[in-house]
Amino acid sequence: PKMKENHCLHAALLCLGVLCYSRALTMERLNHSRPSLHGHHEKGKEGQVLHRSKRGWVWNQFFVIEEYTGPDPVLVGRLHSDIDSGDGNIKYILSGEGAGIIFVIDDKSGNIHATKTLDREERAQYTLTAQAVDRNTNRPLEPPSEFIVKVQDINDNPPEFLHENYHANVPERSNVGTSVIQVTASDADDPTYGNSAKLVYSILEGQPYFSVEAQTGIIRTALPNMDREAKEEYHVVIQAKDMGGHMGGLSGTTKVTITLTDVNDNPPKFPQSVYQMSVSEAAIPGEEVGRVKAKDPDIGENGLVAYSIIDGDGMDMFEITTDYETQEGVVKLKKTLDYETKKSYSLKVEAANVHIDPKFISNGPFKDTVTVKIAVEDADEPPVFLKPSYIFEVQENAASGTVVGKVHAKDPDAANSAIRYSIDRHTDLERYFVINAEDGNIKTTKALDREEMAWHNISVFAVEVHKQHQEAKVPIAIRVVDINDNAPKFAAAYEAFVCENARSNQQFITISADDKDDSANGPRFIFSLPPEIIHNPNFTLRDNRDNTASVLVRREGFSRQKQDLYLLPIVISDGGTPPLSSTNTLTIRVCGCDSSGSLLSCNAEAYVLNAGLSTGALIAILACIVILLVIVVLFVTLKRQKKEPLIVFEEEDVRENIITYDDEGGGEEDTEAFDIATLQNPDGINGFIPRKDIKPEYQYLPRPGLRPAPNSVDVDDFINTRIQEADNDPTAPPYDSIQIYGYEGRGSVAGSLSSLESATTDSDLDYDYLQNWGPRFKKLADLYGSKDTFDDDS
C-alpha cells in the first residue's frame, strides 16, 4: 500500500508538471504566432496574392508516466494552432504510432489523452503526427508536424539473475578473499532515469564462509583453512536489490552451490601399528601373503599411496606391490620358504603419497610406517634329493650287478620319514638298471655296449614310506665309458686294380680304417702285412702315419692269363689299451691298361676267348643258351598247370562219408542198420587204385585166402584182415569210415549188456557164443560166459 501511494503521488506531480508546461508552451506559441496569423495573405480568384502561412505551433516531445492506473485517461498534452479562433472551425487530426488506439485527440480542443496503460519496458516512446484542417472542407490549414511521446519510467521490474542456480569450485585451504565466482543480475527498468536499475548485491545465506562484493557480485571466501574433509559442499544465496539497495527497491535472489576441491593436505596413516600374516612353506613365489592399507582422506591423485619395504629380516623373501584400485599394499612371496629353516619373518612397510603439494609440506611427512609379522606354516613336503640331477659313469661290458652310483633324498619335514626309491620304467624300458629301494644304490642288470648306446637317461622316484602321495623325481644321466673292444676295420669295401704293365714301387690304392670305439681307443691306426707274407714278392704296404696306408707294386709286370686276382691280407691295429688288431683282405684285380695307365679291361675270360673265337660265335652261343632256358621255363609251367590230384575219387565214394545214428544198438536187429560192406574198399574187388604221390617198389596183389566173405559174422577176423591188408599195401590209402550207432533195438536175445543190471537180473540167456568172438571179446565172455561156475561157487 505504501508503494502504491508513492506511485500515485509521483504520477500526480508528474501530470501537474506536464499540464503546466503544456499550458505555458501553448500560451507562448499563441503569443509568438498570433502576430504572424494576419501577416499571411492568400491570392483569391479575383487576383488576390496568397502568401504562405507560417506554422503557428512547435514542440519537441510529450511525457506520459507508465503503468498509470487512474480512473480517467491520462492527459498527454494539448495541441493548439494560432489560427484557431475558438469558433470550432478548426479540426485537429492525430496520426502515427498508436493513434486512435492508445492515443486519442479531441479534434476541437486538441487535447491528447492516453487510453491504455503503457509499459516502458514494452515500448519506450511513440512517434505521432499532428495536423490542423478546416472542419468543413478538411483542407489542411498548416502542414503536418511530428512529435514524440515518451513513456516515463517507474520502478516496476525487480532484478533478475542470468541463472537460477550457479555451481562453483574453490580449493580447500584457500586464503581469505579468494575469488570463487561472479554472479550477475539485470533490471529491465530505465538505467538512465532515477535508481530503478541501480543494483546492490548482498549475501543472505552462506556466512561466515563466503562474502559478496556489493557492486560487482563477486563471491569470495571469508574464512581461512576451510577443510574439504570436514565439509565439502556449501549452499550460498545471493540477493540483488535495485534503488541502490534502499528501502522500497525491488530484489531477486539466486542459489550458488560451492564445492571445495581437494588438495593434498593429509598424510597417509595406518590404522594399526602391527599386521599379523601367515604363509605356508609350500607356497610358490609370487603368491599373495596378505594386504595392508594406509588411510588417506584425500581423493584423486592426492590420495594415491605407494608402498615399499624399507627394513626387516624378510626383505629378501618378500616383496610388496601397490593395488591402485583399492589403495592397498599387497605383500607377496619372493622366494621359496622353509619352515624347518626359519619359522617367522618381520617387515617394516612404508606408505607414502605419490604426489605432494609443496604448499602443505609443513603439515608433516606425507608417509607412515607399519610392522608386518609373517609366520611360516609347516607343510607336508615331498622328499628332496641332495642334488637336482646326477651324472654317473660305468664301463661298458661291465658285469651284471656293477654299481653305477647312489642317489639320496630326505624328508624335509620334521617327521623325517623313511624314503623308498624306484626307477621310472618309462625311462628304462630295456631294464638295464635296478635300484635298491632302501639305500638308493643303482646297479646294472646286464652288460652295456657303448657302441649301441653311449648315454642312458633315467629318472628315479623317491617316495615317503608312510605317505605314498609325497614323491620326488630326479633325472640321472649315466655315461657308458668306452673300453677297447672293437678292432679296426677297413673304412670301406676296397677293391684295387693293378695294371699288367705296372712299374715297381708304383702306388695304386690308399686305404683307411674305421673303429667303433671312442677316439681314445681308436686312432692312431697302424697298418702292416702279416709276418708270414712280409716279404710278399708282388705287393708291399707303406703306413702313411695319418691313419691311412698306401699299397704299392713290388715287382714289374703282371699277366691276367696266369693270375687275374690277388688277395692281400692287411693287419690294422688301433691305439687303445690294450691295442686290438684285425686282418682285412684287400682284393686286387689285374687289368689291362694303355700306355698312360688308364684301365681298359679286367675280364680274364674275355681275353682267353678272343684267341680262338670271334665275336659272332660268342653271340651265337649266348643265343642258344637263352633259347634253351626259355624252353625249360615253358615246360615247367605246363607241367604245373596239368598237375592232377594224388588220388582220384568218385563222387559216390562213401568212404569219405560220416554216418551218424542217434540210436542205441539193439542186438541182432542192428544188422538191419549195419552194412559191413561199407568198410570194404568198393574198388578193391575189381582192382586197386595206385597212389600217385609215391611209386611202389612192387605190384601188390591181394591174397585171396585172407579175404573173408562180405557178410561174415566174424567181425574180429574181418577187422584184423583189413588192418593187415592196409599195413602191407603201399599202394592203397588208409580208408576210414566212422559209424555211430545211437539206436537201441528191441527184442534182443542178449538184452542189456550193462554191468549194473547184470548183477540183479535173473536171466537164463546163454552167453557162451561170446567165446567164439575172438580174443577182443574175451573179457566179456569171461563175465557172462561163466554163470555155472559162479553159481557153483556161491
Side-chain angles (χ1 to χ4, degrees):
K2 188 175 182 180
M3 186 178 294
K4 212 168 194 182
E5 283 182 15
N6 292 335
H7 284 314
C8 295
L9 180 61
H10 182 70
L13 293 174
L14 185 59
C15 291
L16 182 62
V18 169
L19 290 174
C20 294
Y21 175 75
S22 299
R23 186 173 296 277
L25 183 60
T26 303
M27 293 300 296
E28 184 180 358
R29 286 172 184 163
L30 293 174
N31 293 333
H32 285 288
S33 60
R34 186 171 286 117
S36 63
L37 289 176
H38 304 285
H40 294 280
H41 303 277
E42 293 183 6
K43 186 177 180 179
K45 292 181 180 180
E46 292 122 3
Q48 259 184 326
V49 178
L50 297 177
H51 296 280
R52 181 173 175 234
S53 299
K54 184 179 179 181
R55 187 177 61 187
W57 41 284
V58 179
W59 63 88
N60 285 329
Q61 58 187 5
F62 291 148
F63 294 90
V64 59
I65 193 167
E66 69 169 334
E67 302 293 347
Y68 176 72
T69 57
D72 299 323
V74 179
L75 178 63
V76 177
R78 183 180 181 186
L79 299 180
H80 190 74
S81 175
D82 53 358
I83 62 174
D84 186 3
S85 58
D87 55 3
N89 292 327
I90 294 178
K91 180 181 179 181
Y92 295 97
I93 299 174
L94 185 66
S95 63
E97 297 173 343
I101 300 174
I102 299 176
F103 302 101
V104 295
I105 188 171
D106 188 347
D107 57 355
K108 293 182 179 179
S109 62
N111 292 332
I112 300 174
H113 291 83
T115 62
K116 294 184 178 181
T117 302
L118 302 179
D119 187 0
R120 188 201 68 84
E121 286 72 37
E122 181 179 344
R123 185 158 191 165
Q125 66 182 19
Y126 298 86
T127 301
L128 299 173
T129 302
Q131 190 174 23
V133 299
D134 186 272
R135 182 177 297 277
N136 297 321
T137 63
N138 287 330
R139 182 176 60 85
L141 302 179
E142 288 190 7
S145 296
E146 289 185 353
F147 65 94
I148 296 173
V149 177
K150 284 191 174 184
V151 182
Q152 187 70 40
D153 181 55
I154 64 173
N155 189 18
D156 59 342
N157 290 281
E160 293 183 358
F161 284 92
L162 299 179
H163 304 286
E164 184 178 353
N165 293 286
Y166 289 85
H167 295 275
N169 298 322
V170 64
E172 64 172 332
R173 307 285 183 181
S174 296
N175 296 328
V176 175
T178 301
S179 175
V180 179
I181 191 175
Q182 183 178 14
V183 294
T184 304
S186 61
D187 196 320
D189 294 325
D190 188 1
T192 62
Y193 179 77
N195 293 328
S196 297
K198 185 177 181 180
L199 304 181
V200 174
Y201 298 93
S202 61
I203 184 168
L204 300 182
E205 295 181 16
Q207 302 97 335
Y209 306 104
F210 300 95
S211 62
V212 63
E213 291 184 356
Q215 305 301 324
T216 62
I218 297 176
I219 300 174
R220 300 181 182 274
T221 58
L223 283 181
N225 298 324
M226 284 191 292
D227 190 3
R228 184 199 67 83
E229 288 73 32
K231 186 176 181 181
E232 183 177 8
E233 191 173 81
Y234 295 86
H235 299 284
V236 178
V237 177
I238 302 297
Q239 174 184 267
K241 191 174 184 180
D242 57 13
M243 299 301 293
H246 295 92
M247 185 178 295
L250 303 179
S251 64
T253 60
T254 187
K255 183 178 179 181
V256 182
T257 301
I258 301 176
T259 303
L260 297 182
T261 57
D262 184 63
V263 298
N264 191 10
D265 58 338
N266 295 282
K269 186 71 176 176
F270 284 105
Q272 58 196 70
S273 60
V274 178
Y275 283 87
Q276 298 285 349
M277 299 180 184
S278 62
V279 60
S280 172
E281 64 173 336
I284 60 176
E287 188 172 331
E288 181 178 328
V289 178
R291 295 187 173 219
V292 298
K293 184 175 183 179
K295 295 183 178 180
D296 191 333
D298 297 322
I299 60 175
E301 67 174 14
N302 297 317
L304 294 179
V305 179
Y307 298 87
S308 60
I309 300 175
I310 59 176
D311 197 5
D313 57 1
M315 293 183 65
D316 296 335
M317 305 300 295
F318 300 92
E319 62 182 355
I320 191 168
T321 59
T322 303
D323 186 347
Y324 286 103
E325 291 185 2
T326 61
Q327 289 298 299
E328 293 176 321
V330 183
V331 180
K332 295 182 179 180
L333 184 62
K334 189 176 180 181
K335 295 181 180 180
T336 304
L337 300 173
D338 185 11
Y339 173 81
E340 288 72 25
T341 303
K342 189 173 178 61
K343 297 178 175 57
S344 64
Y345 294 89
S346 178
L347 301 175
K348 189 175 183 181
V349 176
E350 180 183 80
N353 277 138
V354 177
H355 302 282
I356 299 177
D357 194 339
K359 297 178 181 178
F360 306 100
I361 195 68
S362 60
N363 288 11
F366 284 81
K367 56 186 177 181
D368 194 16
T369 59
V370 71
T371 301
V372 178
K373 292 184 178 180
I374 303 173
V376 180
E377 297 178 347
D378 188 20
D380 190 7
E381 301 174 86
V384 177
F385 283 94
L386 298 185
K387 295 181 180 179
S389 63
Y390 291 86
I391 298 178
F392 297 137
E393 291 183 351
V394 61
Q395 282 193 342
E396 67 172 327
N397 298 332
S400 175
T402 302
V403 176
V404 177
K406 182 179 181 180
V407 297
H408 183 69
K410 65 175 183 178
D411 182 10
D413 298 322
N416 194 17
S417 300
I419 306 297
R420 294 187 66 85
Y421 304 93
S422 62
I423 295 177
D424 183 1
R425 288 305 171 189
H426 293 91
T427 62
D428 185 25
L429 296 176
E430 299 296 332
R431 297 183 178 269
Y432 288 110
F433 306 97
V434 67
I435 190 171
N436 188 300
E438 283 74 22
D439 58 14
N441 275 319
I442 301 174
K443 297 180 181 180
T444 61
T445 59
K446 60 184 76 174
L448 305 180
D449 187 1
R450 188 205 68 86
E451 287 71 39
E452 182 181 346
M453 187 180 293
W455 285 88
H456 294 266
N457 296 302
I458 66 174
S459 297
V460 171
F461 289 112
V463 182
E464 294 183 17
V465 174
H466 302 294
K467 299 174 183 177
Q468 298 294 329
H469 64 282
Q470 293 290 4
E471 69 175 13
K473 187 177 182 180
V474 67
I476 300 174
I478 302 174
R479 176 176 173 266
V480 182
V481 180
D482 182 54
I483 63 173
N484 194 15
D485 59 344
N486 290 279
K489 296 180 181 180
F490 276 157
Y494 294 108
E495 187 174 4
F497 302 91
V498 64
C499 295
E500 288 181 305
N501 56 357
R503 299 186 305 275
S504 177
N505 293 327
Q506 179 181 352
Q507 174 183 338
F508 61 90
I509 190 172
T510 300
I511 59 174
S512 62
D514 188 16
D515 195 331
K516 293 183 179 180
D517 291 323
D518 198 359
S519 59
N521 293 315
R524 128 165 163 69
F525 298 120
I526 301 174
F527 300 86
S528 63
L529 296 177
E532 61 271 13
I533 63 168
I534 192 68
H535 300 294
N536 187 308
N538 298 317
F539 305 101
T540 182
L541 185 69
R542 183 181 64 202
D543 193 337
N544 297 327
R545 298 182 179 278
D546 61 352
N547 296 324
T548 64
S550 300
V551 183
L552 297 86
V553 177
R554 183 182 289 271
R555 65 180 176 84
E556 294 183 358
F558 292 87
S559 175
R560 283 184 290 171
Q561 294 178 350
K562 293 181 179 180
Q563 186 175 353
D564 64 338
L565 184 66
Y566 293 90
L567 300 177
L568 180 64
I570 298 176
V571 178
I572 307 175
S573 301
D574 59 20
T577 304
L580 292 180
S581 63
S582 66
T583 301
N584 302 265
T585 301
L586 178 65
T587 302
I588 304 174
R589 293 186 179 276
V590 180
C591 302
C593 304
D594 57 12
S595 59
S596 63
S598 300
L599 295 178
L600 295 178
S601 174
C602 296
N603 192 339
E605 291 76 13
Y607 181 80
V608 175
L609 289 173
N610 281 338
L613 296 174
S614 64
T615 304
L618 290 175
I619 293 174
I621 292 172
L622 292 176
C624 291
I625 293 173
V626 171
I627 291 172
L628 290 174
L629 290 174
V630 171
I631 292 173
V632 171
V633 171
L634 290 175
F635 179 75
V636 172
T637 304
L638 292 174
K639 290 291 287 181
R640 288 184 177 180
Q641 292 179 353
K642 294 182 179 181
K643 189 174 182 180
E644 297 178 358
L646 297 179
I647 300 174
V648 179
F649 297 99
E650 296 181 1
E651 294 181 358
E652 296 79 13
D653 192 352
V654 297
R655 288 170 293 178
E656 291 297 319
N657 295 338
I658 298 176
I659 303 173
T660 303
Y661 299 92
D662 293 331
D663 54 1
E664 184 176 349
E668 285 79 359
E669 292 184 2
D670 289 343
T671 58
E672 297 177 1
F674 174 6
D675 184 7
I676 196 169
T678 305
L679 297 178
Q680 300 175 359
N681 185 351
D683 299 325
I685 301 174
N686 299 326
F688 64 93
I689 300 175
R691 296 177 63 175
K692 296 183 179 181
D693 57 341
I694 62 174
K695 184 177 181 182
E697 296 179 358
Y698 60 92
Q699 187 71 24
Y700 173 76
L701 294 177
R703 290 179 292 177
L706 297 176
R707 183 185 301 275
N711 296 325
S712 174
V713 296
D714 192 351
V715 180
D716 185 35
D717 293 340
F718 175 78
I719 293 177
N720 289 332
T721 301
R722 285 299 182 186
I723 292 176
Q724 186 177 2
E725 289 178 358
D727 292 341
N728 296 325
D729 185 5
T731 63
Y735 295 103
D736 294 329
S737 178
I738 299 177
Q739 302 281 349
I740 299 176
Y741 302 93
Y743 171 77
E744 182 177 1
R746 297 187 300 274
S748 173
V749 179
S752 176
L753 298 179
S754 174
S755 60
L756 297 177
E757 296 181 359
S758 62
T760 58
T761 303
D762 295 332
S763 177
D764 296 334
L765 294 178
D766 184 10
Y767 296 102
D768 292 338
Y769 61 86
L770 294 177
Q771 301 289 342
N772 300 326
W773 283 17
R776 292 181 180 272
F777 297 91
K778 187 177 184 302
K779 280 286 184 185
L780 192 62
D782 292 341
L783 290 174
Y784 291 94
S786 57
K787 179 179 180 184
D788 298 336
T789 307
F790 179 79
D791 293 339
D792 295 341
D793 293 342
S794 61

